[in-house]
Amino acid sequence: MLLTQLPEDVLYHILLHLDRRSLCRLSQACKSLNRFVNRDAVWRRIAKGCLNSGITWNGTDIYPNVPLKERVKTAQNWYHGFCKKWTLLKWKTKLLPWLQLDGNVLYLSQAAKIGAYSLSRDSRRLQRIPLENFSGHKGDVCRFVLTDSHLISGGSDGRILVHSRRRNMSLGLMGHSQEVNCLDSKNGLIISGSRDRTARMWTLTSSSPLGTIPMFDRVWSVAISPTQSSFVTGTACCENFYPLRIWDVERLVCVCSLGSEFRRGAGVLDIVFESPFQLFTCGYDTFVRQWDLRLSPQKCVMEWEEPHDSALYCIQTDGNHMIASGSSYYGVVRIWDKRQTKCLQFFQLSSDSLSSPIYCLRFSSSHLYAALATALHSLDFRQQPAHIR
């Protein structure tokens, strides 16, 4: 019996024993095998062990429109650091930009406006004219988040604006007495944090806060749990309080405090929930930390230290093995493999004379976008250098 005459389920179990290179060679044998080997089901096991393949720890596929074989190939470039660098946009005045990525549309804040830019097919540049502009703040936009139907922004004027993505209208919330450093939103719930040392909870339909929490310290970061039953606040760690605290949404009471070992000034600048019980943080103390909220007491289970002793402004995870972080000096982006303790790859996006933090970064299956003080950069991981293909 020929290999192609085997029942599909038998052939599938045979292919489970092959590695990436063997599958690629087998796919070149004939058209019939090529069609079978290129199925996502064949590549799923290999993809789950790769960086940024789109398969999360619980099996969810976050890039279902991109073939898994193609993502596994690109994942090798992420791992080995093979990419092309592009400068997508430049501006003269130094800003503190923020990013969000939604498919092939990149949202970028510049001063008091947020522009929605269409990414070109070759991803080397942005369309110069934004598809849409969101405005209304009297000061710079500090943070903004996207939901399916809204764009929610917080500014240095203390205001929080809720912009509709489907209709040309916006709602202004009361906000804070000082700049809104951070905010997060899920399913109509909004959490904001401010330099005025308070965190507040809102809904999309109310202009007044549902509750205000005195934090006694500047709030630098917030994140809502995927279950929406709790949220986390990260503070400047300048007062005698834990820099990380978890709050119950219903009662607005602290249910857990983290970071007892943090030194004074080790503020938390970014927080990412990867699951209801896995939390990642970074900040001024130069560490990326992973917290397991299932343990009692909850504690840090892994940490990765920035080698050049730089503060970490932002992080993003792929939901499985990869972490990307942005440093405070020279526009350095680092790629981490959670299964290793040392940095896997790093990319410097600004020269020594134009040192700038990475204020925000976002990535897709094939690109990483990083916002610096005067430019927006892109790393394209789709193609390997010719000499190693």
Side-chain angles (χ1 to χ4, degrees):
M1 181 179 289
L2 298 176
L3 189 63
T4 54
Q5 295 175 319
L6 290 171
E8 287 193 353
D9 57 336
V10 176
L11 181 57
Y12 170 73
H13 282 288
I14 291 174
L15 299 188
L16 288 180
H17 295 276
L18 300 184
D19 60 16
R20 176 180 60 88
R21 292 182 180 273
S22 299
L23 285 174
C24 289
R25 289 168 182 161
L26 183 61
S27 68
Q28 299 172 354
C30 66
K31 291 183 179 179
S32 176
L33 282 174
N34 181 273
R35 285 192 296 268
F36 190 89
V37 170
N38 286 345
R39 294 179 181 180
D40 280 359
V42 174
W43 289 91
R44 194 174 183 86
R45 174 187 59 85
I46 295 176
K48 196 166 185 179
C50 294
L51 297 186
N52 196 28
S53 67
I55 305 299
T56 63
W57 64 272
N58 62 358
T60 302
D61 191 345
I62 58 179
Y63 306 123
N65 297 325
V66 183
L68 264 179
K69 180 182 178 181
E70 181 181 325
R71 283 184 264 162
V72 169
K73 179 181 177 181
T74 305
Q76 308 310 308
N77 297 341
W78 285 91
Y79 186 86
H80 295 288
F82 301 138
C83 66
K84 293 183 178 179
K85 301 179 183 179
W86 309 103
T87 300
L88 301 182
L89 201 61
K90 288 185 176 181
W91 49 89
K92 295 181 180 180
T93 305
K94 287 189 176 182
L95 304 173
L96 278 73
W98 195 254
L99 293 175
Q100 295 292 351
L101 184 62
D102 185 15
N104 64 344
V105 179
L106 188 70
Y107 293 79
L108 170 68
S109 66
Q110 295 174 283
K113 292 185 178 180
I114 302 168
Y117 294 88
S118 176
L119 294 166
S120 61
R121 292 185 177 180
D122 59 9
S123 297
R124 297 183 184 182
R125 60 186 183 274
L126 291 180
Q127 300 294 338
R128 287 296 176 182
I129 301 176
L131 299 172
E132 192 172 2
N133 278 312
F134 300 89
S135 59
H137 286 284
K138 297 179 181 179
D140 289 357
V141 174
C142 298
R143 291 289 188 274
F144 68 93
V145 294
L146 294 177
T147 68
D148 291 339
S149 56
H150 293 87
L151 184 151
I152 305 161
S153 59
S156 60
D157 56 2
R159 301 177 67 203
I160 297 172
L161 298 181
V162 179
H163 310 270
S164 174
R165 297 175 63 186
R166 298 169 183 169
R167 293 178 292 176
N168 186 21
M169 59 178 295
S170 61
L171 169 68
L173 307 183
M174 289 177 60
H176 293 260
S177 61
Q178 296 185 43
E179 66 186 63
V180 180
N181 290 325
C182 52
L183 54 83
D184 195 13
S185 178
K186 282 184 175 62
N187 294 331
L189 177 68
I190 303 171
I191 304 295
S192 62
S194 171
R195 185 181 286 271
D196 67 5
R197 302 187 175 198
T198 65
R200 289 183 171 177
M201 184 168 68
W202 317 76
T203 64
L204 290 174
T205 57
S206 174
S207 60
S208 300
L210 299 181
T212 299
I213 304 173
M215 300 294 296
F216 308 105
D217 206 346
R218 290 165 293 171
V219 185
W220 288 131
S221 52
V222 296
I224 301 174
S225 167
T227 63
Q228 293 182 242
S229 61
S230 62
F231 63 91
V232 181
T233 57
T235 63
C237 200
C238 292
E239 304 297 335
N240 190 25
F241 293 96
Y242 290 93
L244 280 167
R245 282 179 280 179
I246 302 176
W247 305 85
D248 182 88
V249 167
E250 294 291 335
R251 298 175 293 152
L252 286 185
V253 296
C254 180
V255 295
C256 178
S257 298
L258 305 172
S260 60
E261 74 283 4
F262 282 27
R263 66 177 185 270
R264 180 179 173 84
V268 179
L269 295 176
D270 202 5
I271 303 173
V272 173
F273 267 106
E274 198 170 81
S275 73
F277 52 84
Q278 296 287 351
L279 184 69
F280 290 83
T281 63
C282 71
Y284 284 118
D285 68 346
T286 77
F287 282 91
V288 176
R289 287 188 170 90
Q290 178 182 352
W291 306 83
D292 193 330
L293 306 184
R294 295 170 297 183
L295 302 177
S296 182
Q298 292 89 345
K299 64 178 182 180
C300 175
V301 293
M302 280 289 291
E303 58 184 30
W304 299 267
E305 185 177 11
E306 215 287 334
H308 293 162
D309 200 32
S310 299
L312 297 175
Y313 272 51
C314 54
I315 52 173
Q316 188 183 358
T317 78
D318 67 348
N320 198 8
H321 298 303
M322 191 180 87
I323 304 171
S325 66
S327 301
S328 59
Y329 293 118
Y330 309 121
V332 171
V333 171
R334 294 189 183 274
I335 303 296
W336 309 81
D337 187 333
K338 297 177 190 174
R339 297 163 292 189
Q340 304 177 22
T341 56
K342 294 184 178 180
C343 171
L344 185 65
Q345 301 294 340
F346 84 96
F347 310 92
Q348 184 173 338
L349 301 182
S350 67
S351 64
D352 292 356
S353 60
L354 298 172
S355 177
S356 167
I358 302 289
Y359 287 111
C360 185
L361 59 81
R362 294 289 182 263
F363 57 75
S364 64
S365 63
S366 57
H367 291 77
L368 185 146
Y369 303 94
L372 283 72
T374 58
L376 173 66
H377 295 270
S378 169
L379 301 177
D380 184 349
F381 290 88
R382 288 177 299 181
Q383 295 183 350
Q384 291 182 345
H387 69 280
I388 62 164
R389 288 179 189 169

